[in-house]
Every structure is written in structure tokens, then in C-alpha cells.
Amino acid sequence: MFNLRWGDLSAKTSRTTTITSRAITAAAAPLLEKTAIDKELSKKESIRKSSNKRRASNTTILLTSINKKKKTLHGNIQKTTRIEYNHQHQNDDRTKLVDSQSQPAPSAPLSPYIEIESQNLVNTSLIPLPSSQTLPLHSEEKFKPSFRHSASPRESLTSIASEKVLLMSSEQQSSVVQPLLTDLYQISMAYAYWKPNKHQEIATFDLYFRKNPFGGEYTLFAGLDECLKFVRDYKFHSSDIDYLRASLPNYIESEFYDYLSTLDMNDIKIYAVPEGTVVFPRLPLMRIEGPVLKTQLLETTLLTLVNYASLVATNAARFRSAIGADKTLLEFGLRRAQGPDGGLSASKYCYLGGFDGTSNVLAGKLYGIPIKGTHAHAYVNSYESMEDLCVKDLCDRITGVAHPFSELCLKYLKEIGPVLKILPEETNKGELAAFISYAIAFPTNFLALVDTYDVLKSGVPNFLAVARALHECNYQAVGLRIDSGDLAYLSLEVRAKFVDVSKKFNLPYMEHFTIVASNDINEDTLISLEKQGHSIDSFGIGTHLVTCQKQPALGCVYKLVELANSPRIKVSQDIEKVTIPGRKNLYRLYGHDGKALCDLLTRIDEPEPEASVRILSRHPFSEQKRAYVTPSSVHNLYKLYWADGEIKGPMPSLKQVRTHAREQINELRKDHKRDLNPTPYKVSVTDALFQFMHKLWMKSVPIGELE
């Protein structure tokens, strides 16, 4: 057992040596690694210190260079006799203020960077650095991942949200408007139609309302474009199907969910009156034709898209009618609206209804609505005295020479005091400082909020002093805003002071400064102001406009009127709830003066009414109310907007719809539009439709028996 050869022993010795060497190496590895790390850290520290020295040196050189350039720049300004002034906000149409003339928003997105020529801005503290003189970054900063490629889940979500905002446009449907934005009973009925194979029967639904809002006699139809986008993009996603499987009874066949997952609206048709058209109760605003399951599924979403849009557009139109066409109306309701979607919808449809602009910046971007706004009371409150002013000079618009602007304002305040019969030293100097600061920031669009302390004794004198100083620098102030108090009285007093000061300084334009009023204004306020007399040029309106406090809902309904070529009628003891059965056409008849006489519903197969041909029109529910009409012209109000899976023809822009709405309102007689006891507009049916409807009505009501 001990008989070993030398070769075997040698091999064993070699293996033992190898194992021992590996063990030693393994044991020494941590020590070697630590030594290597220490060397590397020492090397990096040395590099960092050297880099810091170089960076400090470079920074010193760079700052010295900047200071030299600033001195040279300042010297050039002083030597300049006539240089075009380039204020950083002058001629910038990106953001118009409340006082600026209404302008359409840019058609294409603008660069977020503003090129500023600062040679005439003596108060400029930040000078753009040449690309060759940018400060060096730390080596770690050079290789930081970009925002879009951040590994942080929170940053990634923020990035995605930002991209969505950047990509949003008025052509896109709000992400919340989708097939599941519906009532449960629509899904339940869909299954009930599908199970007995009834879902392919062709149905016709009418969407209409029963009563005009706000005690008036007309309504503006709005929301059609959003309805068409919804139909175009209609699709149940896999997460929708999963949710329905979990929510509905478990005995529902999986084939039903398979059917829903492939559902689209390509085989339905939508006829409608053009958006912005003046409409009336019982007129079908939209006629939806197609398989009953699909047309049924559209009900709730179409109603929610039309109800508020038409209501707030009508409210805006009534505000416009109350104040006339020569005043500026601005929608300021975002903060009071029912959520973000309500705020956006309000801005869009108030503009459609006749308002001139909005404070809602996103609505301006999405819909091309002019955006307006100046400053709040908080800005005025942020200044306590003239010592709070950091910048006190303003460059001349023409020469570029710096003026001691704050000193000019104090000088003119003293001159204005006797004219306005106030004590200049008694005006609030924090308010004056705020006005000076804002005027320096926006010398071409200066409009001040003057009711933070006292309108007549402080706000107006301070405003006029700043306005006069702006004139000295070759600018013109725009006006002021009053947000509290007796608006009629204050506006007249303020206008009188404008006139006095304009005469004092021989500056006629000053008496025409814009007066903007806000302060919880509603339709009745505007009517009262018109009766009292006032000198207000522009109104900022929010709460009562966007929340429609006078009437919070329009009450549109969606009713089945035909199925499988068989007319259907909904009867009720409440006459207003009886439906007009069958597919119908809608015409508007006009008189010789171009004003609308009445609207006429006909059966789908009746001939179109003709101009200069007498026709019998009847009240839909009263036999006694009937009249002959000989129209000078006849307009078919229905257009085919959706068929064959596409929107038919180009849709008008919001501005075009707004123009159409204004023309439509002008076609109504004044007695239909008056605020008190307006004359009801006539909605009638042909004699053939009347007879058909009442025959079906009688057939549908069971005959009782007296005992």
C-alpha cells in the first residue's frame, strides 16, 4: 500500500504547491484590491484639485471678461444718440395681456427660447455667454443621463406627462373621453341586445333638449367636433375588457367580450346641424343611425359632450347680447370651473359664444384663443415701499437712454395731486412701487389693478403718475382694472380723472385709457350697468359664466325614434316628454327681411319645402296652433358628418364656428333675444308628420275602461 513511484509523489507535490499558492493569493486579494482603490482615489483627488484650480482660474478670467464687456456695453449706450430699443417683451406676441388688442394665437408652436438683444437694457444682469466660454462641468455631470432617459420612475413618469402635454393639440380627444365614459346600463343593454342576436337591427336615435336655458328663447349648439372625435377613436382596449369581465356577472359569455374588443363605429351615420347654429327645443340636434347596440353605446358620452358645451356657449352668447358688440369680454373662470376638463371646455365654448379671450393659457395653446391677463392683488401686496424696488431705471423706447423712472413717477405724482384733489404723500407707496416695477417689466402693456387699497385716492393717482412717466420714456400705458366696489360709479369717476389729467398734460390719448372691470359679474349685472350708465371698456367674467349658476344643466336627451324601419314613440302624461317618431329632416324658413320665421320638421320621405311656396306648419302637440307660411328662402339644417368610418368633409375651425354663431344670433328677431319675456320661437311640423305622429300616439296608448 506504500509502494509509490517517484512520478506520483512529484505530481502530488506540484498539486499541493498550486493549492497553497491559490490560497495565499485568495487571502491577499482583499489587501491588494484595497491598495489599488486607495491609489485610484488618491489619483482622482489629485485630478479634482487640479481641475478646481483650473476652473477657478477660468472663472476669474471669464468674469473679468464679462465685466469688461458690461462696461463697454454701458459706454456704448451712453454714446448712442438714437438706437432702436429692444425690451425683452416688446413686440412679443406670445402672451398678450388683458389690455392688448385681440390677436389669434400662433398657428404653430413657438420656440421656448426668446432671443433678447440687451444692448439697451442697462439693468441687464445676465449676459449670454459665448459657446467657447461656458463654464466647465464636473466630470460626473458630463455623463449624467438626460431627463428623458432618467432611471428614476418618478422622473420617467414626469417626462412622459410632459411629452403628452407637448403633443396635445385641438385635433386630439381628451384621454378621459373613451368608451367606458358611459353609464353601466349602456353596457348592460349592449349585452341584452347581443345575446338574442338583436344587436344588428338598424336604429335611429335623436339627440335634443326640451327647454331653452336661462329663461331665454334660443340655444347655441356646441360640442359636435368632440362628438365626432369620440366616434372616430371609439375602441375598447384590453384593460377595458378586463375591467368589464371583473365587474359584470360571470355568466356573461366570453364571446361578448371578444365582440366588444373588435367594436368600431364605421357602420353608423351621424347627421347634425352645424356647430354654432341657433337651435330650439324638440329639434333633433343630431340624428344617429346604425346597429342598435352601437348607437345605444354612444348615448351617455354624446350627451355629456353636448350638454355642457351648448349650455356654456349659450350663457356666453347671452352675456354678449347683454353688453353689446363694442365691449371686450374676457373669460376668467378657470379657477372656479368644475375641474380641469370643465375649465378647458368653458374657455373653448365661451369663445365660441362670443367672448374675446381667456386667462386659460392651455386653452390658448390648444384652441388658438387669445390669452389675456395682468397681475393680481398679491403682486401689489408684495411691495411695501419704494425701497423695495430693485430696478429703478427704464430705457427709452426710441433712444435707448436710461431714464430714472422711479424718480419720474414721484415727480409726476406730485404734479397730478392738485389736479385729482388728493394728497400725493397719502397714496400707498408700496402700490406705487408695484406699479413702477410692473411698468418696467411690461412698458408696452402696462395695465394696473387699482383697488388693492383705495381706487380713487391711491390706485388711480399712482397709475396716472406711472402712465405719465411712461410717456416720458416714449411708451403709452394701456389702462387699469377695478375688481371691487360700485363699478358704474367708479368707472365714471375714473374716466373723469383721465380727462382732467389728459388736459393737464395735453395728452389726449390718456382720456381713452381702457377701464377693465371684474368682480363676480353676471348677466343681470351687465344689464344693470347698461341701464345705469358706465364707462367700462372690458369685462373679466368667471364664476357666473363658467358654472352657469343661473341654470346648471341643459337637459339634453337621447331617444329611440325608429328601429328596423318601424317608427317608435315615447308617450307620457307630460307632453314635453312625448317624442316625435321616425326619421326626420329639419328646415329653417326665412322671411323677406332675412330673419328666421320658424323651423319645420318633415318626415324623411317628404319633399323639401320651397321658397315662395305656401306650406301649412303645425304645432307638434296642439291641434289648434297652426299657420300657413310662405318663406322667402329655405335652408336645410342637416349635414352628414360621419359615415363609412370617417368624418365627411373638413371641419370648420373654432374661429369659423364662432363667426357662424354670431351670424346665427343676428338672424333672430330682437323680441326672441330680449332678456325679459322673450317671444317664443316657433318649432313646427308638417301636416303629414303631425297626422302620422298622432295616429301612432293614439295607437300606443291603451284604452281604459270605466267601472
Side-chain angles (χ1 to χ4, degrees):
M1 65 185 299
F2 296 101
N3 187 16
L4 297 175
R5 289 178 297 176
W6 176 253
D8 295 334
L9 182 59
S10 176
K12 286 193 176 197
T13 302
S14 176
R15 284 197 298 273
T16 302
T17 303
T18 303
I19 292 170
T20 302
S21 175
R22 288 177 181 172
I24 292 171
T25 302
L31 182 60
L32 293 172
E33 184 177 356
K34 184 177 184 307
T35 302
I37 290 173
D38 289 342
K39 288 182 178 179
E40 184 65 23
L41 288 175
S42 176
K43 183 179 179 181
K44 284 188 175 182
E45 180 66 16
S46 175
I47 293 172
R48 187 183 68 79
K49 290 181 179 179
S50 175
S51 176
N52 285 343
K53 289 180 180 179
R54 289 196 303 271
R55 183 159 54 252
S57 175
N58 290 341
T59 302
T60 302
I61 294 169
L62 182 57
L63 290 175
T64 302
S65 174
I66 290 174
N67 288 331
K68 287 181 179 179
K69 288 186 177 182
K70 289 175 73 174
K71 289 180 180 178
T72 304
L73 179 63
H74 187 73
N76 289 341
I77 291 173
Q78 300 302 325
K79 292 176 183 178
T80 302
T81 55
R82 188 177 182 84
I83 302 175
E84 183 181 357
Y85 177 70
N86 291 289
H87 187 275
Q88 68 184 79
H89 301 301
Q90 185 179 352
N91 300 323
D92 188 353
D93 291 332
R94 251 173 285 248
T95 304
K96 292 296 184 183
L97 303 180
V98 70
D99 47 81
S100 58
Q101 186 177 0
S102 297
Q103 292 290 342
S107 57
L110 295 172
S111 167
Y113 303 102
I114 303 174
E115 293 184 1
I116 303 171
E117 296 182 20
S118 54
Q119 63 265 27
N120 294 336
L121 297 179
V122 297
N123 55 331
T124 301
S125 59
L126 296 177
I127 305 296
L129 299 178
S131 58
S132 60
Q133 293 183 329
T134 54
L135 293 176
L137 297 171
H138 291 286
S139 57
E140 300 94 322
E141 292 174 340
K142 291 182 180 179
F143 299 99
K144 279 185 178 179
S146 68
F147 179 80
R148 292 180 181 272
H149 298 93
S150 170
S152 165
R154 182 180 181 86
E155 291 180 352
S156 297
L157 288 173
T158 306
S159 176
I160 291 169
S162 299
E163 289 177 8
K164 284 185 177 179
V165 171
L166 288 171
L167 293 172
M168 279 182 68
S169 73
S170 60
E171 300 300 318
Q172 294 173 319
Q173 181 73 45
S174 170
S175 61
V176 77
V177 181
Q178 52 184 287
L180 289 192
L181 185 67
T182 190
D183 295 311
L184 176 60
Y185 81 162
Q186 308 292 4
I187 305 292
S188 302
M189 284 189 288
Y191 174 68
Y193 284 132
W194 176 85
K195 189 172 179 62
N197 204 31
K198 188 182 178 67
H199 61 291
Q200 291 292 359
E201 293 184 10
I202 302 301
T204 300
F205 283 85
D206 285 348
L207 188 153
Y208 62 96
F209 61 94
R210 298 185 175 118
K211 187 177 181 180
N212 283 309
F214 313 116
E217 283 300 331
Y218 70 90
T219 301
L220 277 182
F221 173 47
L224 176 61
D225 63 329
E226 298 297 328
C227 291
L228 296 174
K229 293 174 192 174
F230 168 63
V231 172
R232 178 196 64 194
D233 301 334
Y234 195 96
K235 179 175 176 55
F236 285 96
H237 296 282
S238 58
S239 60
D240 301 334
I241 300 299
D242 292 342
Y243 176 75
L244 292 176
R245 286 182 189 272
S247 303
L248 297 177
N250 57 14
Y251 52 73
I252 292 180
E253 296 89 333
S254 61
E255 290 81 3
F256 173 67
Y257 299 110
D258 294 339
Y259 172 78
L260 289 182
S261 66
T262 60
L263 193 69
D264 58 42
M265 294 296 164
N266 292 344
D267 52 350
I268 72 166
K269 293 182 179 180
I270 296 178
Y271 295 85
V273 299
E275 189 161 11
T277 299
V278 169
V279 290
F280 306 95
R282 295 187 294 274
L283 296 180
L285 313 180
M286 300 173 67
R287 189 177 82 221
I288 298 91
E289 302 174 1
V292 64
L293 182 150
K294 296 184 179 183
T295 51
Q296 185 71 68
L297 282 173
L298 295 177
E299 175 182 359
T300 302
T301 315
L302 295 185
L303 288 174
T304 196
L305 291 173
V306 170
N307 260 312
Y308 178 70
S310 299
L311 183 73
V312 76
T314 304
N315 202 24
R318 291 179 62 84
F319 276 68
R320 170 55 72 191
S321 294
I323 202 63
D326 60 329
K327 305 297 182 184
T328 301
L329 289 178
L330 306 172
E331 177 269 312
F332 286 173
L334 176 59
R335 64 186 61 193
R336 304 289 170 80
Q338 288 92 340
D341 286 324
L344 279 174
S345 295
S347 299
K348 177 179 181 179
Y349 295 115
C350 286
Y351 183 67
L352 185 157
F355 271 59
D356 300 294
T358 179
S359 64
N360 187 337
V361 179
L362 182 57
K365 174 190 174 186
L366 294 179
Y367 308 124
I369 304 171
I371 53 176
K372 309 289 182 179
T374 53
H375 64 82
H377 295 103
Y379 187 81
V380 179
N381 290 143
S382 70
Y383 287 83
E384 287 187 320
S385 67
M386 293 292 287
E387 284 68 36
D388 289 345
L389 284 171
C390 297
V391 179
K392 299 183 179 182
D393 295 344
L394 177 64
C395 295
D396 192 284
R397 182 180 65 86
I398 297 175
T399 67
V401 174
H403 292 274
F405 190 67
S406 61
E407 294 178 13
L408 287 174
C409 292
L410 290 170
K411 169 192 169 185
Y412 287 118
L413 180 60
K414 291 180 181 179
E415 294 184 20
I416 287 170
V419 179
L420 301 185
K421 299 178 182 178
I422 59 101
L423 298 174
E425 60 272 16
E426 292 299 316
T427 67
N428 189 289
K429 296 307 181 289
E431 180 181 58
L432 178 60
F435 290 175
I436 291 171
S437 173
Y438 202 78
I440 291 173
F442 296 99
T444 61
N445 284 293
F446 176 60
L447 189 146
L449 178 60
V450 297
D451 71 324
T452 304
Y453 301 108
D454 187 289
V455 173
L456 299 178
K457 295 178 182 178
S458 181
V460 172
N462 284 336
F463 162 75
L464 286 170
V466 176
R468 181 62 184 86
L470 279 173
H471 181 84
E472 186 85 359
C473 301
N474 287 304
Y475 293 99
Q476 286 188 10
V478 177
L480 54 78
R481 177 164 72 97
I482 307 169
D483 192 46
S484 59
D486 186 331
L487 298 179
Y489 166 75
L490 287 174
S491 68
L492 293 172
E493 287 293 308
V494 169
R495 185 67 67 192
K497 294 182 185 303
F498 286 171
V499 172
D500 291 342
V501 171
S502 70
K503 291 178 180 177
K504 160 71 176 176
F505 295 111
N506 193 27
L507 298 173
Y509 75 87
M510 281 191 166
E511 68 179 88
H512 302 295
F513 279 147
T514 297
I515 298 177
V516 182
S518 50
N519 184 24
D520 213 24
I521 294 171
N522 58 29
E523 182 184 350
D524 294 334
T525 305
L526 296 178
I527 294 170
S528 175
L529 286 169
E530 287 296 287
K531 291 178 180 177
Q532 293 178 65
H534 64 89
S535 192
I536 300 168
D537 304 294
S538 179
F539 294 87
I541 306 174
T543 305
H544 291 275
L545 175 66
V546 304
T547 63
C548 301
Q549 287 188 351
K550 202 170 182 180
Q551 181 175 327
L554 179 58
C556 287
V557 294
Y558 187 88
K559 297 297 180 182
L560 179 69
V561 295
E562 186 172 294
L563 182 67
N565 294 318
S566 174
R568 305 300 165 97
I569 188 172
K570 162 69 173 67
V571 297
S572 172
Q573 291 182 345
D574 186 350
I575 295 298
E576 284 187 350
K577 293 192 174 183
V578 176
T579 60
I580 301 176
R583 290 187 297 153
K584 299 168 286 292
N585 282 321
L586 175 60
Y587 302 93
R588 184 156 293 170
L589 311 184
Y590 291 85
H592 60 85
D593 59 354
K595 302 296 184 182
L597 291 172
C598 69
D599 286 1
L600 184 68
L601 286 165
T602 73
R603 298 189 67 182
I604 196 70
D605 54 357
E606 282 191 81
E608 182 175 338
E610 297 179 15
S612 303
V613 176
R614 192 172 74 160
I615 185 171
L616 178 63
S617 64
R618 307 195 62 164
H619 188 282
F621 306 112
S622 175
E623 288 192 78
Q624 292 79 18
K625 295 181 179 180
R626 61 196 191 279
Y628 286 106
V629 182
T630 305
S632 295
S633 61
V634 178
H635 293 174
N636 185 347
L637 292 185
Y638 281 150
K639 289 179 62 178
L640 177 62
Y641 280 96
W642 175 267
D644 305 318
E646 63 180 9
I647 297 173
K648 294 296 183 180
M651 294 295 292
S653 67
L654 180 59
K655 185 173 289 188
Q656 290 171 325
V657 174
R658 182 173 183 265
T659 301
H660 175 65
R662 183 169 61 247
E663 293 170 348
Q664 284 279 294
I665 293 173
N666 290 338
E667 289 178 359
L668 296 178
R669 297 199 315 257
K670 289 184 178 180
D671 57 310
H672 294 312
K673 297 182 287 185
R674 64 192 179 203
D675 62 288
L676 185 63
N677 298 324
T679 302
Y681 183 84
K682 293 177 177 61
V683 173
S684 56
V685 298
T686 60
D687 186 61
L689 179 54
F690 180 88
Q691 300 297 341
F692 167 75
M693 171 185 171
H694 283 259
K695 182 178 178 181
L696 186 60
W697 190 352
M698 292 298 101
K699 181 180 176 182
S700 301
V701 177
I703 300 174
E705 184 173 339
L706 297 177
E707 295 182 358

